[in-house]
Structure formats: structure tokens, C-alpha cells
Amino acid sequence: MKYVLVTGGVVSGLGKGVTASSIGILLKACGLRLTAIKIDPYLNTDAGTMSPFEHGEVFVLDDGGEVDLDLGNYERFLDVKLTCDNSITTGKIYQFVLDKERKGDYLGKTVQVMPHITDAIQEWIERAAMIPVDGEEGPPDVCVIELGGTIGDIESMPFLEALGQFSYRVGPDNFCVVHVSLLPVLNEVGEQKTKPTQHSVWGLRGLGLAPDILACRSTKALDENIKEKLSRFCHVPAADIISLNDVTNIWHIPLLLREQKAHEAIIKLLNLQGFAKEPALEEWTSRARTYDTLHDPVRIVMVGKYTGLSDSYLSVLEALLHASIACYKKLVVDWVRSSDLEDSAAIETPDLYREAWKRLKGADGILVPGAFGDRGVEGKILAAKYARENNVPFLGICLGMQIAVIEFARSILNLHDANSTEFDPDTTNPCIVFMPEGSKTHKGATLHLGSSRTFFEGADCISAKLYGNVNFIDERHRHRYEVNPEMVAELEKAGLSFVGKDETKRRLEIVEFHAHPYFIGVQFHPEFKSRPGKPSALFLGLVGAACGQLDTLLQNPSHCSNPTKRHIFSNSFSPAKSYRNKNLKKPVKSLPYRNLYSNGNGVHV
């Protein structure tokens, strides 16, 4: 097994995940099998109870693991299915060690950070790295490890010590370090400054790890004299100092690495010359260039609770992007904070209220993603009502499906107090109820999590056709409330159709309103399994309906896995975007490859 460790210095948010994934793409294109591990030094056992505002979305794996959004990036980029063991946190490690201590596995020894915690980290890495994640048998060839945070963080110290020991134990031919750092440019001087990177490398060396490759983030390509200076002070060959400058879209990053022969450096360091071939990236190059040519927009309004941080909906945004490229459209996402649509906002914040409704009424399609809590729920219900009454394509995910059912019960069945017991425990018309197997005392890992099977009730529905007329699908879930099965008959009699159910027929998974061109709600999260070359069927349907291509998709849904010159698909993380801002006169042409979806005023993707 070969290991590539990606660390970060100077500041957070430089794009370690993008760099790690781009390295993975390069090595995969060289014919090697890849896996990935993300180390998050926080004390939480997993990301399940963390606020989206603080940490971005919670990504859900097939096995039910609630993990950092970077694992979603790895899955999309490398087209693999990771496990919860591919996510390591301080909480997991300490829990693992303390459980062993309680069982007496340490034979009365004093349990300490060294060697017990550091040994547990190394054991976990070795075990997780051997798990095949690409559908083939046998262990992968290379494991890319991303260490979260920045060199110098106190919480990272045990992991850095463990990784230093690990690199010595597995040997230099099996371990290499890629250090991602920042080269800032002061406006007054206009020169790329190397001192922050020098200090970052010195700090890394002081912790027992020496970088083999420097990946330097900057607004423009590195000057040769800057490379020479970094080489001299950081003890890294100039040929192994990689420039990660801003690009027009994220798909150019692997190409940028290939142009600078980063794959050759890694292959040489890991002694893989006899196993790796030249990276075949012709299709990737075509995708990157095609993305730059998209101009015809499709406007999707995202009505959500966490619109202040676009990473809260990263997988949803990526799935929309995959679908829009399949339809050969330039995605434009307009953010609408759901609470701004509510009647109370018309009095308290009239300007925001008018702007929110203006955006909603200008939508080609409306998407209501999942969330927890009652803030902004009434605004989401109003958005669903607007979409239903005005034939605007609509997709509701998780809570988005639930509010669509509530709106239908209120408007069509005249059940004016219809609600979810999550928001109104005393409602006399509970459309949405707590899962029977759920826990009301513990929050972490007590939801319906992971991949579950949904069976279609018949082939004569839009969602079944979009999925290719299969009998069932497997999608990932994350919820603790669901549609009340006792109200299904009344809802269906009024025109709502529950076209997807679980094997018991009591858990309602997909709802459609057939009197509408495209009005679909799903209890699961289809965004988690969307891939650039294989966009989610329901996201493809939403974008297709929004741009007038739905009939074509329904006639031939399999086209989404057979790209043509007109339908080019891309394997992307987070393309650099030109976003709409009332303070900008023209769109930004080149942005850093951090997740720059929006500042809250909308985004061109």
C-alpha cells in the first residue's frame, strides 16, 4: 500500500480537498486504484450533530456514516463509495481507545496519548486503506489522506505525531507528503511572498514530517525565481514545487497538476514507475473546456434555511451542476432565505421580502432542500404553493417533500392546521410524524441513515421513467420524521400520488402531483449519489423541466450516462463561479477554487 498525505499551512480553506482529489484523479488516470481518508481533529464522533452554518453539510454514506463534506467530494471526484471508516475524528479515536481500556485490553498499563492514541490512529489508517471502495475485489493501490486544519493547530498534534511515526514505519518508498500552502500577494508590492510558506514548512518539519511536494496557492502562476527561493529555504526540489493558481473552473486543476508533472513526481517518490502509465485525460480536458463554453442559463431558486453558507448545500449544488451540464445549460442559482418569504417578513424586513418573492417568481425551477427545525418552514410551504399553482418545476428533498405534503393538505384538503409534529406536536392533522423507531432522547446517529431501497408503485410516473423504468432504487436517507401513512388515502384521493414506498408499503419515499408538469418530493437525498458523468435522475428531471427538455429525457433517460458532443459531463468539485452581485458591474472571470458558490445574492455556475 502506498500513501499520499496532504497537509495544509498558513490558513484554512486553501483547497486541500481539491488538491487531494486532483491527485487522486491523476493517479487513477495512470491506471492505479485509489481510496481516500479524511482526518478531522475535532472531538465529535462524527459530523451528524454539527451545525451546517459552522461546518457545512453533513454528507451521508451508504453505510449510514454521517461525515464531513470532503468525503462527498472524494466520492464525486473519484467515483467511489466510501465507508464510515474512511472518516477519522479525534472523537472516534479516543472512543476506540477508551473502549479497549474498559475491556482491559491494555493489561493495567497507563493509557496515554503516546503510544496508545498514536498507535490507534496508525492502525485505523492501515485498516481503512485496505477497504476496496471502487467495486472491485482486493485492496487499492494508493490511499490519499487529507489532514484537516492547518499546521500548528493544537488538536492536530496527535495525528501529526502518528503520521510521522507511520511514515517512518512504512518507509520512504511508500509514503509522500504534499503540503498545500499560501503565497499571498500584497497589493502595495505586487510580489508573491514566500515567508508564510517557509514558516509553515518549518513547523511541519518540527513535527516530524518533511514535504516532498509543495503545492502553492496563489492568484497567478509562480515565478521561477519564487520557486527557486522556496526550494532553497524549504529543501524541496524546484521541479516538485507546484503552482496552484486561480483557474476559470475547477476541472482545470488536475490538468494544471499534469502540466507540471505532479503525477511523475508522486509516482517516482512511491516507486510506482513499473505500474503506472501516462494519465489518460483527453475526456477530462474536453470537459473542462466545454464547461467554459456554456452560456445559455437555467435559473434554479434554492429556498433554504442555511443560505448564509453555500457549503451547507454543497451536494445539492453539485447535483444541480451535474444535471445542468447534461442539459448543456449554464447553471444560475438564486438563493432565497425561506423566512424572507413569510408574511411576517413583509412587515419586519419589507425589502428582503420583496427581493425574495421577485427571485422566486423569476425562477425556471424551484428546489427546497432538507433541514431541521421550524425556522423558515412557512416560507418553504409558500414556495411549494407558488410552484404548484404556477406550474413551476419543483423538487422537494427530505423536509422539502414534507412541506409539499403539508401545503397540499392545507390548500386542497382545506386542513388549515395540517402540520408536522416536529413543528406542532398538538396539530389535529399530523401529515408528518416521528419515526416509530426513532429516539427522542439522543440526537447523534439516531436518524434513518444510509442507503435504503425504494420500490416504485408503477412505471407510469415521471420519477420511475427518469430512473430508467426500474422496479426499485437505492438512495441514501437522513431523517427522523416522515409522511403519516394514515393520511395517504385521503391525500391520494385529492390528487397527490405516492409513487415510491419501502418494502413495508408504509414508509412513503416519493410523491408526485400528476396535474403538474414536474412536481416531485422525495424523502431520501438523491444528491448524495449524483456523479458528474451520472447526474441524479431527479435533479436531471428538475433542470430538464426548467429548460424545456423534460420530454426528451423521459423518452430516453439513459442518455445521461452516454455523453455526446452536446451533452458533456464533468467530474467536478466546486467550479469557480461568476456570481451575480448588485455591487459587481461584470462577472468575475477567474476565482479561487474554494467553494465560491455565492455571497447570498445569487450565483452563476
Side-chain angles (χ1 to χ4, degrees):
M1 175 63 68
K2 308 290 185 177
Y3 300 91
V4 179
L5 172 64
V6 179
T7 61
V10 183
V11 296
S12 61
L14 286 177
K16 295 189 302 296
V18 175
T19 304
S21 300
S22 297
I23 289 170
I25 281 293
L26 272 180
L27 297 180
K28 187 175 181 179
C30 291
L32 300 169
R33 294 176 60 202
L34 269 292
T35 187
I37 292 174
K38 174 66 186 296
I39 297 175
D40 284 299
Y42 47 69
L43 279 170
N44 304 63
T45 302
D46 57 34
T49 58
M50 301 177 74
S51 167
F53 277 128
E54 183 173 325
H55 205 70
E57 78 169 1
V58 176
F59 190 82
V60 178
L61 304 171
D62 266 3
D63 63 5
E66 296 176 283
V67 297
D68 183 83
L69 58 81
D70 278 324
L71 276 83
N73 289 331
Y74 303 155
E75 283 205 347
R76 286 186 290 269
F77 225 63
L78 301 175
D79 194 18
V80 295
K81 291 183 179 180
L82 301 174
T83 73
C84 59
D85 281 345
N86 292 92
S87 171
I88 302 176
T89 69
T90 298
K92 281 185 178 180
I93 295 296
Y94 273 78
Q95 189 174 61
F96 174 74
V97 170
L98 291 174
D99 285 345
K100 291 181 68 176
E101 186 273 333
R102 289 291 84 188
K103 288 190 294 184
D105 290 355
Y106 295 116
L107 300 176
K109 293 181 179 179
T110 301
V111 180
Q112 297 175 300
V113 172
M114 286 183 60
H116 301 101
I117 294 296
T118 52
D119 284 353
I121 293 169
Q122 296 176 65
E123 291 169 13
W124 197 301
I125 290 173
E126 283 190 300
R127 181 176 70 254
M130 298 298 288
I131 301 172
V133 295
D134 56 2
E136 299 182 22
E137 294 183 358
D141 300 314
V142 180
C143 177
V144 179
I145 306 168
E146 179 190 348
L147 176 62
T150 306
I151 297 303
D153 293 343
I154 293 174
E155 57 265 30
S156 300
M157 296 303 178
F159 291 100
L160 287 164
E161 175 60 33
L163 288 164
Q165 295 178 17
F166 188 69
S167 66
Y168 176 76
R169 185 159 61 84
V170 299
D173 287 347
N174 297 313
F175 194 93
C176 79
V177 179
V178 178
H179 187 58
V180 183
S181 188
L182 175 68
L183 264 67
V185 177
L186 301 179
N187 292 334
E188 293 79 3
V189 181
E191 177 189 9
Q192 294 169 329
K193 308 303 289 185
T194 65
K195 193 65 69 176
T197 294
Q198 292 178 40
H199 281 281
S200 179
V201 170
W202 295 341
L204 184 62
R205 287 183 179 278
L207 293 166
L209 289 168
D212 299 294
I213 296 174
L214 272 181
C216 299
R217 285 289 291 116
S218 188
T219 54
K220 62 179 183 178
L222 299 187
D223 297 329
E224 287 303 315
N225 65 311
I226 296 295
K227 284 190 176 184
E228 293 296 334
K229 187 175 181 180
L230 284 170
S231 176
R232 185 180 308 114
F233 286 101
C234 298
H235 307 167
V236 176
D240 294 341
I241 297 176
I242 307 299
S243 175
L244 292 179
N245 48 279
D246 295 351
V247 291
T248 54
N249 72 66
I250 202 62
W251 299 318
H252 287 289
I253 297 299
L255 307 179
L256 201 60
L257 292 175
R258 183 189 62 175
E259 289 169 6
Q260 298 173 79
K261 302 187 185 303
H263 60 291
E264 293 184 6
I266 294 172
I267 287 169
K268 182 179 179 181
L269 286 164
L270 297 179
N271 197 22
L272 288 169
Q273 294 95 325
F275 304 93
K277 60 183 181 182
E278 277 297 308
L281 290 172
E282 292 81 7
E283 186 177 355
W284 189 282
T285 303
S286 176
R287 292 167 178 171
R289 291 174 179 171
T290 300
Y291 173 84
D292 290 336
T293 68
L294 298 177
H295 299 292
D296 191 14
V298 58
R299 187 176 301 278
I300 303 297
V301 166
M302 183 95 75
V303 182
K305 178 180 179 180
Y306 313 114
T307 55
L309 180 66
S310 59
D311 273 2
S312 301
Y313 302 111
L314 180 59
S315 291
V316 174
L317 290 166
E318 291 294 329
L320 283 172
L321 182 63
H322 303 161
S324 64
I325 294 173
C327 295
Y328 212 69
K329 298 292 181 180
K330 186 176 183 65
L331 178 64
V332 179
V333 175
D334 270 339
W335 298 92
V336 171
R337 188 169 56 186
S338 55
S339 58
D340 289 341
L341 296 170
E342 297 174 355
D343 293 341
S344 60
I347 300 172
E348 297 169 2
T349 53
D351 291 342
L352 293 177
Y353 176 82
R354 286 191 293 269
E355 179 63 22
W357 276 101
K358 180 181 178 181
R359 289 182 182 176
L360 190 72
K361 292 179 179 180
D364 297 320
I366 296 173
L367 192 152
V368 179
F372 295 94
D374 61 355
R375 181 170 59 83
V377 164
E378 293 301 321
K380 295 176 183 179
I381 291 173
L382 289 170
K385 182 176 183 177
Y386 176 83
R388 182 182 58 79
E389 293 181 342
N390 293 277
N391 286 337
V392 179
F394 174 88
L395 177 61
I397 298 172
C398 197
L399 178 61
M401 169 188 172
Q402 297 172 10
I403 61 96
V405 172
I406 293 171
E407 188 281 320
F408 190 87
R410 290 181 182 180
S411 301
I412 304 301
L413 296 179
N414 293 317
L415 303 176
H416 299 298
D417 72 333
N419 214 327
S420 167
T421 56
E422 179 181 6
F423 315 131
D424 182 6
D426 300 321
T427 177
T428 58
N429 291 289
C431 296
I432 312 299
V433 295
F434 194 78
M435 293 189 313
E437 68 272 31
S439 170
K440 294 187 177 182
T441 59
H442 289 71
K443 299 294 185 184
T446 60
L447 298 83
H448 179 197
L449 292 167
S451 181
S452 295
R453 183 155 292 180
T454 295
F455 295 87
F456 288 107
E457 293 295 289
D460 190 25
C461 62
I462 292 176
S463 52
K465 292 176 182 177
L466 287 171
Y467 275 103
N469 295 311
V470 295
N471 295 324
F472 60 85
I473 54 173
D474 295 310
E475 293 282 9
R476 299 176 185 178
H477 296 67
R478 185 175 185 253
H479 65 97
R480 57 167 52 93
Y481 288 84
E482 58 191 10
V483 175
N484 184 355
E486 304 302 326
M487 293 191 67
V488 169
E490 190 176 3
L491 290 164
E492 289 196 318
K493 186 177 180 181
L496 211 56
S497 298
F498 292 92
V499 299
K501 302 177 182 179
D502 75 343
E503 67 277 3
T504 69
K505 303 290 185 180
R506 288 187 59 80
R507 179 157 285 158
L508 295 311
E509 298 282 3
I510 307 175
V511 63
E512 293 186 10
F513 183 46
H514 293 312
H516 190 284
Y518 191 88
F519 192 94
I520 295 177
V522 292
Q523 186 60 72
F524 49 79
H525 289 263
E527 69 271 23
F528 290 146
K529 294 181 72 172
S530 182
R531 299 289 183 269
K534 296 172 285 186
S536 163
L538 298 175
F539 280 86
L540 189 62
L542 174 67
V543 174
C547 64
Q549 298 182 22
L550 182 60
D551 289 341
T552 302
L553 290 172
L554 294 178
Q555 292 169 10
N556 184 24
S558 62
H559 92 285
C560 65
S561 60
N562 295 290
T564 64
K565 290 183 179 180
R566 180 163 174 77
H567 295 89
I568 304 294
F569 301 88
S570 300
N571 287 342
S572 155
F573 248 5
S574 309
K577 293 113 184 141
S578 302
Y579 53 88
R580 293 188 302 122
N581 186 323
K582 61 185 178 182
N583 297 318
L584 294 178
K585 300 299 183 182
K586 59 179 69 175
V588 180
K589 293 182 179 180
S590 180
L591 293 176
Y593 59 74
R594 178 66 177 155
N595 298 325
L596 296 177
Y597 275 103
S598 172
N599 63 350
N601 292 316
V603 55
H604 287 293
V605 181

